[in-house]
Amino acid sequence: MDIGFIGLGNMGAHMARRLVEAGHKVIVYDVRQEAIGNIAALGAVAARSPKEVADAAETVMVSLPTPDIVLKVATGPDGVIEGKRVRRFVDLSTTGSVMAQRVFKLLAEKNIVQIDAPVSGGVRGAAKGTVAVMASGPRAEVEAVEPALKVIGKFFYIGEKSGAGQTMKLCNNVLSAAATVATSESFVTGVKAGLDPRTMVDVINASSGRSTATEQKFPETVIPRTFNQGFTAGLMLKDVNLFISEAKALGVPVEAIEAVAALLKLTCDELGSDSDITEVIKPIEKRAGVEVRAPKA
Ligand code: NAD
């Protein structure tokens, strides 16, 4: 199948590579020439704009950072909407259901079907093809891209309603964000009280407090101080704020998640939006005056 792929960043580069390796003809575009070059070297075809991608493929996938960029790439000048061949626009980014529905309506005017298919499972999951893919949109259209989405990860059909996959994804991501923030406060407290962080990991992973933060983020990136989870604090803050907007629009109180958003914002303010999500522990460490690291052997 011919597949366009726009946005070759931490996630997109792996997903596009997997599609190439699965034998699809993949036409790629990114604003970074270097990112295009890397994937073209593996056999993808380079394009010079989203429109050129959409001239060449019936299905165009995107993995882009923010809702506004998705809107621009999908419907702006030289965007996917102007492509001659495109029939389906598959958004693998996390953009929220409001933007998904907006893009759905705008593209529908040109008989292009928007499918939202946000993913979860991190850069490692994207590399291995183990991310959860949460697709929503007209069933027949989703079925047409299901084999390609199964190359990217574990496929879930969430429903017909545009944006349902996005809501699903945000409900997941706030749990991941909350666990990372809460685990940071827990570990800084434990370490300041004299506990060994490796012991904390072992005990918590055999107890009721375990999560992806204790099973993976803390042992693999926080305690070794590599902070290379591959997902930025800025993108997580975007996801948490999208969730808060959706929850408030539905009349759901979200005070705990608002506290999570406040710490993510503090991290972005102090360390920059490009800091790794696991660096959310640093503002807490700074104020507590301790670091969560393995004791020197
Ligand atoms: P990233 O910033 O690493 O990659 C985004 C890519 O889009 C970059 O290569 C950038 O150059 C490109 N880009 C930006 N503007 C563009 C434009 N106008 N036209 C074409 N390309 C453009 O981000 P990422 O971490 O790969 O995340 C992508 C999406 O996936 C985000 O919505 C994010 O929330 C979501 N996501 C990320 C992770 C993760 O662990 N990194 C996990 C699940 C979901």
mmCIF file of all heavy atoms in Angstrom, residues 246-275:
data_model
loop_
_atom_site.group_PDB
_atom_site.id
_atom_site.type_symbol
_atom_site.label_atom_id
_atom_site.label_comp_id
_atom_site.label_asym_id
_atom_site.label_seq_id
_atom_site.Cartn_x
_atom_site.Cartn_y
_atom_site.Cartn_z
ATOM 1 N N GLU A 246 -11.207 18.928 28.142
ATOM 2 C CA GLU A 246 -12.301 18.004 27.803
ATOM 3 C C GLU A 246 -13.121 17.663 29.038
ATOM 4 O O GLU A 246 -14.345 17.618 28.998
ATOM 5 C CB GLU A 246 -11.744 16.725 27.153
ATOM 6 C CG GLU A 246 -11.143 17.019 25.794
ATOM 7 C CD GLU A 246 -11.079 15.814 24.863
ATOM 8 O OE1 GLU A 246 -11.691 14.774 25.157
ATOM 9 O OE2 GLU A 246 -10.409 15.947 23.820
ATOM 10 N N ALA A 247 -12.428 17.430 30.167
ATOM 11 C CA ALA A 247 -13.136 17.065 31.394
ATOM 12 C C ALA A 247 -14.032 18.212 31.852
ATOM 13 O O ALA A 247 -15.201 18.009 32.209
ATOM 14 C CB ALA A 247 -12.124 16.695 32.479
ATOM 15 N N LYS A 248 -13.488 19.420 31.815
ATOM 16 C CA LYS A 248 -14.283 20.578 32.260
ATOM 17 C C LYS A 248 -15.495 20.782 31.356
ATOM 18 O O LYS A 248 -16.586 21.103 31.831
ATOM 19 C CB LYS A 248 -13.415 21.829 32.302
ATOM 20 C CG LYS A 248 -12.468 21.799 33.501
ATOM 21 C CD LYS A 248 -11.798 23.131 33.721
ATOM 22 C CE LYS A 248 -11.092 23.114 35.076
ATOM 23 N NZ LYS A 248 -10.224 24.268 35.283
ATOM 24 N N ALA A 249 -15.293 20.597 30.045
ATOM 25 C CA ALA A 249 -16.428 20.744 29.120
ATOM 26 C C ALA A 249 -17.522 19.727 29.438
ATOM 27 O O ALA A 249 -18.704 19.966 29.197
ATOM 28 C CB ALA A 249 -15.950 20.574 27.680
ATOM 29 N N LEU A 250 -17.122 18.592 30.010
ATOM 30 C CA LEU A 250 -18.109 17.559 30.378
ATOM 31 C C LEU A 250 -18.622 17.735 31.805
ATOM 32 O O LEU A 250 -19.436 16.939 32.276
ATOM 33 C CB LEU A 250 -17.457 16.163 30.237
ATOM 34 C CG LEU A 250 -17.136 15.713 28.809
ATOM 35 C CD1 LEU A 250 -16.196 14.519 28.820
ATOM 36 C CD2 LEU A 250 -18.417 15.379 28.042
ATOM 37 N N GLY A 251 -18.098 18.744 32.522
ATOM 38 C CA GLY A 251 -18.544 18.984 33.894
ATOM 39 C C GLY A 251 -17.936 18.034 34.907
ATOM 40 O O GLY A 251 -18.532 17.738 35.940
ATOM 41 N N VAL A 252 -16.721 17.534 34.612
ATOM 42 C CA VAL A 252 -16.063 16.587 35.524
ATOM 43 C C VAL A 252 -14.996 17.333 36.344
ATOM 44 O O VAL A 252 -14.134 18.001 35.752
ATOM 45 C CB VAL A 252 -15.382 15.441 34.730
ATOM 46 C CG1 VAL A 252 -14.713 14.451 35.679
ATOM 47 C CG2 VAL A 252 -16.392 14.741 33.839
ATOM 48 N N PRO A 253 -15.021 17.250 37.692
ATOM 49 C CA PRO A 253 -13.960 17.905 38.474
ATOM 50 C C PRO A 253 -12.644 17.136 38.352
ATOM 51 O O PRO A 253 -12.631 15.909 38.402
ATOM 52 C CB PRO A 253 -14.491 17.863 39.917
ATOM 53 C CG PRO A 253 -15.519 16.799 39.929
ATOM 54 C CD PRO A 253 -16.008 16.566 38.532
ATOM 55 N N VAL A 254 -11.531 17.883 38.167
ATOM 56 C CA VAL A 254 -10.235 17.233 37.908
ATOM 57 C C VAL A 254 -9.114 17.898 38.725
ATOM 58 O O VAL A 254 -8.057 18.229 38.198
ATOM 59 C CB VAL A 254 -9.886 17.246 36.399
ATOM 60 C CG1 VAL A 254 -10.702 16.223 35.644
ATOM 61 C CG2 VAL A 254 -10.080 18.634 35.793
ATOM 62 N N GLU A 255 -9.375 18.070 40.035
ATOM 63 C CA GLU A 255 -8.411 18.816 40.852
ATOM 64 C C GLU A 255 -7.055 18.116 40.941
ATOM 65 O O GLU A 255 -6.010 18.768 40.939
ATOM 66 C CB GLU A 255 -8.981 19.031 42.259
ATOM 67 C CG GLU A 255 -10.022 20.139 42.275
ATOM 68 C CD GLU A 255 -10.851 20.145 43.535
ATOM 69 O OE1 GLU A 255 -10.313 19.814 44.605
ATOM 70 O OE2 GLU A 255 -12.048 20.483 43.433
ATOM 71 N N ALA A 256 -7.047 16.805 41.053
ATOM 72 C CA ALA A 256 -5.775 16.080 41.159
ATOM 73 C C ALA A 256 -4.957 16.272 39.884
ATOM 74 O O ALA A 256 -3.741 16.505 39.924
ATOM 75 C CB ALA A 256 -6.033 14.596 41.411
ATOM 76 N N ILE A 257 -5.613 16.198 38.735
ATOM 77 C CA ILE A 257 -4.891 16.342 37.464
ATOM 78 C C ILE A 257 -4.418 17.780 37.278
ATOM 79 O O ILE A 257 -3.371 18.039 36.667
ATOM 80 C CB ILE A 257 -5.772 15.861 36.283
ATOM 81 C CG1 ILE A 257 -6.165 14.384 36.463
ATOM 82 C CG2 ILE A 257 -5.055 16.051 34.946
ATOM 83 C CD1 ILE A 257 -5.007 13.414 36.591
ATOM 84 N N GLU A 258 -5.171 18.742 37.833
ATOM 85 C CA GLU A 258 -4.705 20.135 37.754
ATOM 86 C C GLU A 258 -3.407 20.318 38.548
ATOM 87 O O GLU A 258 -2.517 21.077 38.148
ATOM 88 C CB GLU A 258 -5.796 21.085 38.250
ATOM 89 C CG GLU A 258 -6.870 21.268 37.187
ATOM 90 C CD GLU A 258 -8.009 22.186 37.604
ATOM 91 O OE1 GLU A 258 -8.428 22.106 38.780
ATOM 92 O OE2 GLU A 258 -8.480 22.955 36.757
ATOM 93 N N ALA A 259 -3.283 19.608 39.650
ATOM 94 C CA ALA A 259 -2.030 19.671 40.423
ATOM 95 C C ALA A 259 -0.884 19.052 39.624
ATOM 96 O O ALA A 259 0.252 19.547 39.635
ATOM 97 C CB ALA A 259 -2.204 18.948 41.764
ATOM 98 N N VAL A 260 -1.174 17.981 38.893
ATOM 99 C CA VAL A 260 -0.164 17.351 38.021
ATOM 100 C C VAL A 260 0.267 18.356 36.941
ATOM 101 O O VAL A 260 1.467 18.531 36.672
ATOM 102 C CB VAL A 260 -0.742 16.061 37.373
ATOM 103 C CG1 VAL A 260 0.188 15.533 36.287
ATOM 104 C CG2 VAL A 260 -0.988 15.005 38.448
ATOM 105 N N ALA A 261 -0.713 19.054 36.362
ATOM 106 C CA ALA A 261 -0.407 20.049 35.319
ATOM 107 C C ALA A 261 0.491 21.156 35.882
ATOM 108 O O ALA A 261 1.409 21.625 35.207
ATOM 109 C CB ALA A 261 -1.697 20.643 34.759
ATOM 110 N N ALA A 262 0.230 21.555 37.128
ATOM 111 C CA ALA A 262 1.022 22.645 37.736
ATOM 112 C C ALA A 262 2.487 22.229 37.862
ATOM 113 O O ALA A 262 3.396 23.024 37.578
ATOM 114 C CB ALA A 262 0.440 23.015 39.091
ATOM 115 N N LEU A 263 2.743 20.990 38.235
ATOM 116 C CA LEU A 263 4.143 20.555 38.376
ATOM 117 C C LEU A 263 4.802 20.400 36.994
ATOM 118 O O LEU A 263 5.978 20.726 36.829
ATOM 119 C CB LEU A 263 4.244 19.256 39.179
ATOM 120 C CG LEU A 263 5.683 18.939 39.572
ATOM 121 C CD1 LEU A 263 6.292 20.028 40.450
ATOM 122 C CD2 LEU A 263 5.778 17.606 40.291
ATOM 123 N N LEU A 264 4.029 19.944 36.014
ATOM 124 C CA LEU A 264 4.584 19.866 34.653
ATOM 125 C C LEU A 264 4.922 21.264 34.133
ATOM 126 O O LEU A 264 5.963 21.474 33.506
ATOM 127 C CB LEU A 264 3.577 19.194 33.709
ATOM 128 C CG LEU A 264 3.421 17.684 33.868
ATOM 129 C CD1 LEU A 264 2.184 17.191 33.119
ATOM 130 C CD2 LEU A 264 4.660 16.966 33.344
ATOM 131 N N LYS A 265 4.073 22.235 34.443
ATOM 132 C CA LYS A 265 4.332 23.612 33.993
ATOM 133 C C LYS A 265 5.585 24.151 34.679
ATOM 134 O O LYS A 265 6.433 24.794 34.040
ATOM 135 C CB LYS A 265 3.121 24.498 34.279
ATOM 136 C CG LYS A 265 3.375 25.936 33.868
ATOM 137 C CD LYS A 265 2.129 26.735 33.656
ATOM 138 C CE LYS A 265 2.409 28.112 33.036
ATOM 139 N NZ LYS A 265 3.616 28.782 33.481
ATOM 140 N N LEU A 266 5.720 23.865 35.965
ATOM 141 C CA LEU A 266 6.917 24.307 36.699
ATOM 142 C C LEU A 266 8.176 23.711 36.049
ATOM 143 O O LEU A 266 9.187 24.399 35.871
ATOM 144 C CB LEU A 266 6.799 23.859 38.168
ATOM 145 C CG LEU A 266 7.942 24.249 39.095
ATOM 146 C CD1 LEU A 266 7.990 25.759 39.302
ATOM 147 C CD2 LEU A 266 7.777 23.551 40.460
ATOM 148 N N THR A 267 8.092 22.440 35.675
ATOM 149 C CA THR A 267 9.231 21.773 35.020
ATOM 150 C C THR A 267 9.561 22.461 33.697
ATOM 151 O O THR A 267 10.730 22.736 33.398
ATOM 152 C CB THR A 267 8.900 20.284 34.777
ATOM 153 O OG1 THR A 267 8.492 19.706 36.017
ATOM 154 C CG2 THR A 267 10.100 19.528 34.228
ATOM 155 N N CYS A 268 8.528 22.760 32.909
ATOM 156 C CA CYS A 268 8.753 23.438 31.614
ATOM 157 C C CYS A 268 9.329 24.833 31.844
ATOM 158 O O CYS A 268 10.231 25.266 31.116
ATOM 159 C CB CYS A 268 7.450 23.532 30.828
ATOM 160 S SG CYS A 268 6.860 21.948 30.239
ATOM 161 N N ASP A 269 8.829 25.547 32.869
ATOM 162 C CA ASP A 269 9.327 26.908 33.140
ATOM 163 C C ASP A 269 10.787 26.868 33.580
ATOM 164 O O ASP A 269 11.593 27.700 33.185
ATOM 165 C CB ASP A 269 8.487 27.581 34.239
ATOM 166 C CG ASP A 269 7.088 27.929 33.755
ATOM 167 O OD1 ASP A 269 6.862 27.887 32.523
ATOM 168 O OD2 ASP A 269 6.219 28.216 34.593
ATOM 169 N N GLU A 270 11.133 25.895 34.422
ATOM 170 C CA GLU A 270 12.494 25.875 34.994
ATOM 171 C C GLU A 270 13.508 25.174 34.084
ATOM 172 O O GLU A 270 14.675 25.543 34.063
ATOM 173 C CB GLU A 270 12.477 25.187 36.374
ATOM 174 C CG GLU A 270 11.725 26.023 37.404
ATOM 175 C CD GLU A 270 11.950 25.573 38.842
ATOM 176 O OE1 GLU A 270 12.612 24.544 39.077
ATOM 177 O OE2 GLU A 270 11.438 26.275 39.739
ATOM 178 N N LEU A 271 13.073 24.159 33.347
ATOM 179 C CA LEU A 271 14.030 23.341 32.574
ATOM 180 C C LEU A 271 13.794 23.396 31.067
ATOM 181 O O LEU A 271 14.590 22.850 30.297
ATOM 182 C CB LEU A 271 13.957 21.877 33.031
ATOM 183 C CG LEU A 271 14.253 21.632 34.514
ATOM 184 C CD1 LEU A 271 13.871 20.219 34.897
ATOM 185 C CD2 LEU A 271 15.725 21.868 34.814
ATOM 186 N N GLY A 272 12.698 24.019 30.665
ATOM 187 C CA GLY A 272 12.384 24.108 29.232
ATOM 188 C C GLY A 272 11.389 23.030 28.814
ATOM 189 O O GLY A 272 11.365 21.931 29.382
ATOM 190 N N SER A 273 10.597 23.358 27.787
ATOM 191 C CA SER A 273 9.568 22.420 27.317
ATOM 192 C C SER A 273 10.171 21.168 26.704
ATOM 193 O O SER A 273 9.513 20.137 26.608
ATOM 194 C CB SER A 273 8.693 23.094 26.260
ATOM 195 O OG SER A 273 8.065 24.187 26.822
ATOM 196 N N ASP A 274 11.423 21.262 26.255
ATOM 197 C CA ASP A 274 12.061 20.096 25.641
ATOM 198 C C ASP A 274 12.691 19.161 26.665
ATOM 199 O O ASP A 274 13.280 18.147 26.285
ATOM 200 C CB ASP A 274 13.139 20.541 24.638
ATOM 201 C CG ASP A 274 12.508 20.976 23.332
ATOM 202 O OD1 ASP A 274 11.344 20.613 23.100
ATOM 203 O OD2 ASP A 274 13.180 21.688 22.563
ATOM 204 N N SER A 275 12.600 19.516 27.944
ATOM 205 C CA SER A 275 13.140 18.597 28.955
ATOM 206 C C SER A 275 12.335 17.297 28.925
ATOM 207 O O SER A 275 11.173 17.268 28.504
ATOM 208 C CB SER A 275 13.104 19.229 30.346
ATOM 209 O OG SER A 275 11.801 19.648 30.648
#
